[in-house]
Amino acid sequence: MTKTPALRGPLARPALALAAAALASLALAGCGGQDAKGAATVSAGSTATSTAPSAAPTTAPPGQAAYEAMLAKVAAICPPPGEKPAAPPSPVAPPKGEQSVAPDGSLPPEPALDGPETELDTREWCVSVQHEQRVLEALQKIAKPTPATVRKALNGLGYIDAHIHGLAQDGAVTRFRLDLRESGGRLCETGAAAGEQSDIDPCLASATGPFTVEKTWKRPA
C-alpha cells in the first residue's frame, strides 16, 4: 500500500490557509443566521407588546369634584352615614268604642309602616331635607319653568348634569329627578317645578348600576 506523502514546504501553507478560511466562513455564517433569527424574534415580541391594547382610564364626569364638595357642605350638619333612625312611633289608636272589631272579637292588625325613615339611614333622611329646602327655594323663583331654566337653576346650586335625570316638560310643570347616592346610599329626589307651586320629595334609588327610582314618598304639606 502506497502512502500519500504529506505536503511539506511552501506548497503546504496555501492549502492550510484555504482550509482555515473555509472553516472561518462556515462559523461566521452560522453565527450570522442565529443572530438574525434572534433579532427577528425580539423584533416580533416588541411589536406584539407595543400593539397590545391598554385599559381605558376611568374618567369622572365634568364638575364631579365640585359636586362632591357641594354634597359634603349640604350634609355638614347631618350625622355620619350608617346610623339608623329610632323606630317610628306606633300609629295612634282610635278612641275606645270606634275600633272595628273582627267577628271573633280580635282587633285588626296595625297597618305596616312605610316611609323614608324605614328605607334611608339617619344621615340620608337629614340630607334629603337640606337638599329639598335649597332646591325648592330656587324652583319657586322660576316664573315659567322649562327644562332649560330648571337645569340652569339646578346647575347654579351645584347639581351637575350627570346627576340630573328625567328632565322634561309636563304641561305647565317641569319634572326632574336628582341622583344623590353616595357611599353606598340610595337617596334621590323627585321634583316638579311649577313656580310657587313647586314641589320636591325624597325617593329611593337603585342600590347599584344605572340610576333608577324604585320608590317615592310624598312629604306632608
Side-chain angles (χ1 to χ4, degrees):
M1 182 175 182
T2 303
K3 294 183 179 181
T4 303
L7 294 175
R8 297 180 181 276
L11 293 178
R13 291 175 185 173
L16 292 174
L18 289 174
L23 290 173
S25 298
L26 289 174
L28 288 175
C31 292
Q34 184 176 0
D35 290 346
K37 182 178 180 181
T41 303
V42 172
S43 177
S46 300
T47 303
T49 302
S50 62
T51 56
S54 57
T58 303
T59 56
Q64 181 67 22
Y67 170 75
E68 292 177 358
M70 179 272 292
L71 292 183
K73 183 177 180 180
V74 171
I77 66 172
C78 296
E83 293 183 12
K84 286 294 183 182
S90 300
V92 178
K96 188 176 182 180
E98 296 183 11
Q99 293 175 312
S100 57
V101 181
D104 60 359
S106 62
L107 295 175
E110 293 182 349
L113 297 175
D114 180 35
E117 66 275 5
T118 65
E119 302 276 7
L120 306 174
D121 64 22
T122 305
R123 176 183 175 83
E124 290 174 312
W125 182 230
C126 172
V127 168
S128 70
V129 175
Q130 310 308 313
H131 284 289
E132 289 161 23
Q133 289 177 345
R134 66 198 302 265
V135 172
L136 188 59
E137 182 179 348
L139 296 180
Q140 290 175 338
K141 296 178 181 178
I142 306 175
K144 295 182 179 180
T146 64
T149 57
V150 170
R151 183 185 298 278
K152 182 178 179 180
L154 294 174
N155 289 160
L157 293 174
Y159 303 98
I160 60 178
D161 291 345
H163 295 273
I164 301 173
H165 301 272
L167 188 60
Q169 193 80 35
D170 182 12
V173 178
T174 295
R175 302 189 182 279
F176 64 92
R177 296 186 292 274
L178 291 177
D179 178 7
L180 300 176
R181 296 176 296 178
E182 57 174 338
S183 303
R186 301 179 65 184
L187 175 65
C188 61
E189 298 286 340
T190 61
E196 291 293 332
Q197 305 302 317
S198 296
D199 194 17
I200 183 167
D201 298 292
C203 59
L204 189 73
S206 50
T208 58
F211 174 74
T212 304
V213 174
E214 296 185 351
K215 188 180 296 185
T216 302
W217 298 280
K218 191 72 177 175
R219 283 195 186 275

